[in-house]
Amino acid sequence: MRALQMDKILTLEQVARRWNCCSNTVRNEIIRGKLKAFRIGERRYGIPTECVIEYERRWSTC
């Protein structure tokens, strides 16, 4: 995984690239409430890096 800047807002596509998955998987995690994000308009999400890091720590298998 790449290091992240703490104050940055990421898109679904950026998180999907980081996690090596598709953007639908990231969207589903948001819809399920497992990954915190906010809406940007009707179709887009903004995902704070702090939320990505929190999710990775919580769901890490290590």
Side-chain angles (χ1 to χ4, degrees):
M1 285 185 234
R2 298 181 199 122
L4 294 174
Q5 291 178 312
M6 289 303 287
D7 294 338
K8 190 171 180 183
I9 302 299
L10 303 173
T11 65
L12 287 174
E13 293 77 16
Q14 290 171 317
V15 176
R17 234 178 287 126
R18 177 178 172 82
W19 292 348
N20 196 28
C21 66
C22 70
S23 58
N24 284 336
T25 301
V26 179
R27 183 178 290 109
N28 288 339
E29 293 300 285
I30 293 168
I31 292 167
R32 289 183 186 120
K34 293 183 178 180
L35 176 61
K36 295 177 186 174
F38 58 91
R39 296 289 272 195
I40 302 173
E42 291 183 28
R43 299 182 183 194
R44 300 195 58 152
Y45 286 99
I47 308 161
T49 54
E50 298 87 17
C51 296
V52 173
I53 292 167
E54 178 186 322
Y55 178 95
E56 291 171 349
R57 286 185 184 143
R58 195 173 347 120
W59 299 102
S60 172
T61 57
C62 297

